[in-house]
């Protein structure tokens, strides 16, 4: 159905996107400074201080968390789609150091000198990386300029005896025009090597270059094919049906696993002992009080959250966990096809009811032993990569019985930790407005969440990148009732359309999916940011443990929905016999 989509009253965001794509078409390196003017005048809601002389350390923290710790040594960033592409252009990335970020899953390789190579799996990686790198450079240079003539800056540059303990945080705040919270945010952004990084900021300006190696849409498809080739051997069976029916879930690699695998619950005492000894994030008292109250849900959530730190204390435990989970039909596949989107396969016939979190126990759970289906859970990809991954999963399976998406979002009308359930998605990639019957309503999630609110009948906007929005841009959509900002729902719904129709998804139309989709479609978002609220947002504070409730509640709703749907199908088959 053709229609007039909501139009923004400003073209600054579109100009910014056109600017960096036109420049990055060059076969050579492009200086990041060439993006700075368009970036600053886009008035991004995540970087409101781009045109001031005051360092926006919240924006810097967001960017630094999504870039590797080696960034102070990086001079050139090269983007490519595969090892072959990099090697054909003289970058032997196979021999380079693997580096990671705290806030973004993306394969990165560092040569130990000045070159960082980033693997991209869709255009969304470009829309994500360019504003992140540009923000990082702008704020770095703002801080460099302020430190340049200050006595603190001189000591950081010239005094080799200066130590981190001797840096007066009050003086640092005065020089950089920050408040005490801003100094803490800056130090957290620079992570454990903050003092060395601060010396680098005082010593030299940041002048990065970027280059995108020649790529194509087919290369993105080839990349996801390599990903699927890493999953397929674990999915295809010797018995019939060789390709089992799939319930596709996009979430993370721990939420469903904790609810179904049962390791954390069965090893609760060991995890509790670890909490008492180490008291990570001061959670030991919370654990003790929850046990005293007999609060099973809270104890489980704490066990799930602390499990990762518990495993890091002794890496040998990971093999034990995987053996334990395999007994319950769980297969974990790390970095399939060298694409950083991990996957898990849950064989429903092998589910162990005694190991399940009590919240996901549904009537007649024993019937799952006769199921021929699996849950394919993938670590949610970024933006348009979601479209490629679901499309390939659909091509590689005989039957999709459900598609469920759980992810972070910003909210314009809620609070951090709330859960939003949308039935309308405006996709800024295809310019389509998708209308669909969401498998979930508030009553499916609310029983498992105490602090947050569950808001259904919402409208979501799938943006091209976290920085590619501003107040003027969003005000148009807010007037139309769009209150959820996220990055994956639109691409997933474009893939759903193609799973159910004989042609590719349209563009710039209203697309009704409700009547054409023969399987469940469920989309749940938990609020991780409130960009237009005066309340503290995730630019400066992580959800940490207190985000577990909303993610656990969403995962519980998804697992219950899958179990109930599969049991209903098995009952119907039983009645027909």
């Amino acid at each position: 159905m053709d229609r007039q989509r909501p139009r923004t009253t400003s073209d600054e965001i579109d100009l910014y996107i056109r600017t960096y794509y036109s420049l990055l078409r060059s076969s050579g390196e492009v200086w990041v400074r060439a993006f700075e003017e368009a970036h600053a005048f886009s008035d991004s809601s995540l970087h409101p201080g781009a045109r001031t002389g005051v360092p926006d350390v919240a924006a810097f923290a967001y960017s630094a968390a999504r870039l590797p710790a080696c960034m102070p040594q990086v001079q050139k960033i090269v983007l490519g789609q595969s090892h072959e592409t990099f090697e054909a252009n003289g970058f032997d990335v196979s021999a380079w150091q693997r580096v990671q970020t705290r806030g973004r899953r993306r394969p990165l390789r560092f040569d130990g000198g000045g070159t960082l190579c980033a693997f991209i799996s869709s255009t969304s990686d470009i829309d994500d990386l360019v504003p992140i790198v540009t923000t990082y450079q702008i704020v770095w240079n703002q801080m460099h300029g302020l430190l340049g003539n200050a006595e603190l800056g001189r000591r950081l540059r010239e005094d080799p005896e200066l130590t981190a303990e001797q840096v007066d945080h009050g003086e640092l705040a005065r020089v950089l025009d920050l408040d005490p919270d801003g100094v803490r945010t800056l130090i957290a952004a620079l992570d454990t090597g903050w003092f060395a990084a601060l010396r680098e900021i005082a010593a030299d300006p940041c002048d990065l270059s970027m280059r995108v190696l020649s790529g194509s849409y087919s290369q993105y498809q080839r990349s996801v094919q390599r990903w699927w080739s890493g999953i397929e051997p674990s999915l295809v069976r010797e018995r019939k049906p060789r390709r089992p029916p799939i319930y596709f879930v996009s979430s993370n690699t721990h939420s469903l696993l904790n609810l179904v695998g049962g390791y954390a619950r069965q090893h609760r005492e060991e995890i509790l002992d670890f909490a008492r000894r180490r008291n990570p994030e001061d959670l030991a008292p919370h654990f003790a009080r929850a046990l005293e109250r007999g609060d099973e849900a809270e104890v489980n959530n704490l066990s799930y959250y602390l499990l990762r730190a518990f495993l890091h204390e002794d890496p040998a435990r990971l093999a034990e966990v995987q053996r334990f989970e395999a007994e319950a039909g769980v297969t974990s596949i790390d970095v399939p096809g060298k694409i950083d989107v991990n996957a898990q396969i849950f064989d429903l016939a092998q589910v162990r009811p005694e190991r399940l979190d009590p919240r996901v126990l549904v009537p007649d759970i024993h019937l799952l032993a006769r199921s021929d289906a699996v849950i394919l859970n993938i670590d949610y990809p970024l933006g348009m990569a979601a479209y490629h991954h679901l499309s390939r999963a659909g091509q590689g399976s005989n039957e999709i019985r459900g598609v469920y998406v759980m992810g972070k979002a910003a909210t314009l009308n809620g609070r951090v930790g709330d859960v939003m359930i949308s039935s309308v998605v405006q996709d800024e990639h295809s310019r389509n407005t998708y209308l669909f019957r969401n498998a979930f309503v508030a009553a499916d999630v609310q029983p498992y969440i105490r602090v947050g609110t569950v808001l259904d009948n919402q409208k979501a906007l799938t943006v091209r990148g976290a920085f590619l929005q501003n107040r003027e841009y969003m005000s148009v959509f807010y007037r139309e009732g769009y209150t959820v900002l996220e990055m994956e729902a639109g691409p997933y719904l474009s893939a759903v359309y193609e799973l159910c129709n004989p042609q590719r998804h349209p563009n710039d139309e209203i697309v009704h999916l409700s009547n054409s989709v023969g399987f469940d479609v469920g989309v749940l978002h938990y609020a991780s940011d409130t960009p237009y609220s005066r309340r503290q947002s995730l630019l400066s504070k992580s959800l940490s443990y207190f985000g577990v409730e909303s993610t656990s509640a969403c995962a519980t709703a998804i697992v219950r929905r899958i179990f109930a749907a599969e049991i209903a199908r098995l009952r119907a088959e039983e009645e027909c016999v």
Side-chain angles (χ1 to χ4, degrees):
M1 181 187 297
D2 295 324
R3 58 83 172 92
Q4 286 292 107
R5 59 183 294 274
R7 299 298 301 178
T8 57
T9 57
S10 171
D11 291 328
E12 285 84 2
I13 296 292
D14 287 340
L15 175 62
Y16 184 23
I17 295 169
R18 288 197 303 271
T19 296
Y20 62 73
Y21 271 109
S22 63
L23 291 170
L24 290 172
R25 281 199 296 267
S26 170
S27 61
E29 297 172 20
V30 178
W31 295 105
V32 170
R33 69 177 93 101
F35 310 143
E36 289 184 1
E37 182 177 359
H39 176 99
F41 280 89
S42 71
D43 291 323
S44 169
S45 59
L46 294 194
H47 192 187
R51 280 191 280 165
T52 71
V54 179
D56 191 332
V57 291
F60 185 77
Y62 185 95
S63 298
R66 286 151 182 81
L67 294 169
C70 62
M71 278 306 293
Q73 289 79 53
V74 172
Q75 298 169 343
K76 176 170 61 178
I77 302 172
V78 183
L79 282 57
Q81 295 170 301
S82 67
H83 282 77
E84 294 81 3
T85 301
F86 282 117
E87 289 162 7
N89 286 273
F91 301 100
D92 186 16
V93 292
S94 298
W96 291 12
Q97 176 187 358
R98 295 170 182 263
V99 290
Q100 296 179 323
T101 74
R102 290 167 284 152
R104 188 75 84 222
R105 290 178 291 102
R106 180 179 288 118
L108 300 166
R109 303 291 184 270
F110 181 50
D111 69 349
T115 302
L116 177 71
C117 285
F119 288 78
I120 57 175
S121 56
S122 76
T123 54
S124 295
D125 285 303
I126 299 174
D127 292 330
D128 184 56
L129 268 169
V130 169
I132 283 173
V133 171
T134 307
T135 298
Y136 182 90
Q137 177 164 301
I138 288 173
V139 182
W140 176 295
N141 288 334
Q142 287 172 330
M143 293 189 290
H144 172 76
L146 292 171
L147 287 167
N149 297 321
E151 174 62 19
L152 175 60
R154 186 195 64 77
R155 285 188 287 127
L156 286 166
R157 289 191 300 272
E158 300 176 7
D159 185 357
E161 303 299 323
L162 184 68
T163 66
E165 292 74 21
Q166 293 172 324
V167 174
D168 183 342
H169 289 192
E171 183 182 4
L172 182 61
R174 288 192 298 275
V175 171
L176 297 182
D177 199 11
L178 303 176
D179 58 21
D181 282 340
V183 172
R184 285 191 287 272
T185 298
L186 175 60
I187 290 173
L190 298 174
D191 207 15
T192 54
W194 72 269
F195 180 63
L198 194 61
R199 282 188 180 274
E200 295 273 1
I201 292 170
D204 297 298
C206 183
D207 196 16
L208 297 165
S209 68
M210 295 187 77
R211 179 185 175 191
V212 177
L213 303 180
S214 58
S216 64
Y217 185 83
S218 64
Q219 280 281 359
Y220 292 133
Q221 293 178 312
R222 186 179 302 173
S223 174
V224 80
Q225 170 56 35
R226 286 197 302 273
W227 170 80
W228 183 254
S229 69
I231 294 172
E232 201 165 33
S234 298
L235 190 68
V236 177
R237 302 162 165 171
E238 291 186 6
R239 69 181 189 274
K240 292 185 178 181
R242 295 203 66 216
R243 295 180 181 274
I246 289 174
Y247 290 92
F248 179 93
V249 181
S250 173
S251 60
N252 52 47
T253 56
H254 54 268
S255 292
L256 268 66
L257 196 59
N258 286 329
L259 295 170
V260 177
Y263 182 90
R265 293 182 64 246
Q266 290 215 6
H267 295 78
R268 178 183 295 172
E269 289 303 319
E270 296 171 53
I271 296 172
L272 176 58
D273 179 65
F274 164 78
R276 288 170 177 152
R277 286 187 287 108
R278 296 295 183 90
N279 194 21
E281 300 181 34
D282 196 30
L283 290 176
H286 293 277
F287 212 148
R289 286 194 293 270
L291 283 167
E292 288 172 9
R293 295 194 307 269
D295 190 338
E296 185 71 10
E298 180 77 357
V299 169
N300 285 341
N301 286 346
L302 281 158
S303 300
Y304 301 156
Y305 183 76
L306 291 170
L307 178 60
R308 179 175 296 183
F310 173 72
L311 296 179
H312 283 173
E313 184 184 46
D314 181 2
R317 289 174 178 150
L318 183 59
E320 177 193 343
V321 173
Q322 290 177 337
R323 285 193 299 270
F324 185 91
E325 292 165 348
E327 295 172 0
V330 180
T331 302
S332 295
I333 308 164
D334 293 333
V335 197
K338 297 184 179 179
I339 304 300
D340 201 12
V341 178
N342 296 341
Q344 296 159 336
I345 298 170
F346 297 78
D347 189 334
L348 292 182
Q350 296 186 50
V351 163
R352 303 274 290 270
E354 71 277 9
R355 292 187 182 180
L356 294 175
D357 186 298
R359 290 171 287 189
V360 301
L361 285 170
V362 298
D364 294 332
I365 192 73
H366 64 279
L367 291 179
L368 288 180
R370 295 196 287 107
S371 174
D372 60 353
V374 300
I375 299 173
L376 173 62
N377 180 52
I378 74 169
D379 207 354
Y380 57 93
L382 179 72
M384 274 303 294
Y387 164 84
H388 294 297
H389 284 77
L390 178 54
S391 294
R392 189 62 191 88
Q395 293 164 19
S397 62
N398 283 337
E399 181 185 359
I400 297 284
R401 288 184 178 166
V403 172
Y404 308 93
V405 179
M406 174 182 111
K408 296 178 182 179
T411 176
L412 302 187
N413 63 345
R415 299 174 64 91
V416 169
D418 287 351
V419 173
M420 294 85 68
I421 305 174
S422 302
S423 53
V424 178
V425 174
Q426 169 67 35
D427 177 29
E428 286 296 271
H429 297 278
S430 65
R431 303 298 179 99
N432 288 329
T433 300
Y434 286 106
L435 312 179
F436 68 105
R437 184 181 296 110
N438 200 318
F440 300 106
V441 295
D444 296 317
V445 182
Q446 193 66 66
Y448 313 107
I449 192 168
R450 302 173 188 177
V451 177
T453 304
V454 183
L455 307 168
D456 58 11
N457 297 313
Q458 300 298 294
K459 297 168 77 173
L461 173 65
T462 298
V463 296
R464 293 183 58 160
F467 280 90
L468 300 178
Q469 55 198 272
N470 57 29
R471 285 182 178 272
E472 189 175 20
Y473 171 90
M474 278 312 305
S475 66
V476 176
F477 290 101
Y478 192 38
R479 286 196 297 271
E480 297 290 330
Y482 290 89
T483 56
V484 182
L485 279 69
E486 54 79 53
M487 291 184 67
E488 286 80 36
Y492 271 129
L493 292 174
S494 291
V496 165
Y497 179 93
E498 293 177 5
L499 290 175
C500 305
N501 291 278
Q503 69 270 353
R504 288 209 63 204
H505 66 78
N507 289 283
D508 203 21
E509 293 186 10
I510 292 177
V511 181
H512 290 268
L513 291 175
S514 301
N515 297 325
S516 62
V517 179
F519 50 78
D520 251 2
V521 177
V523 179
L524 297 171
H525 290 107
Y526 53 94
S528 63
D529 199 8
T530 55
Y532 300 108
S533 167
R534 293 183 180 181
R535 296 187 296 269
Q536 190 174 39
S537 78
L538 277 197
L539 286 176
S540 55
K541 179 176 173 59
S542 170
L543 279 174
S544 64
Y545 166 68
F546 299 98
V548 167
E549 184 184 65
S550 54
T551 58
S552 179
C554 291
T556 297
I558 289 171
V559 173
R560 288 181 62 89
R561 179 78 184 186
I562 292 172
F563 284 177
E566 188 63 8
I567 289 167
R569 190 189 64 80
L570 291 165
R571 281 204 208 101
E573 284 183 357
E574 201 173 56
E575 291 171 2
C576 292
V577 172

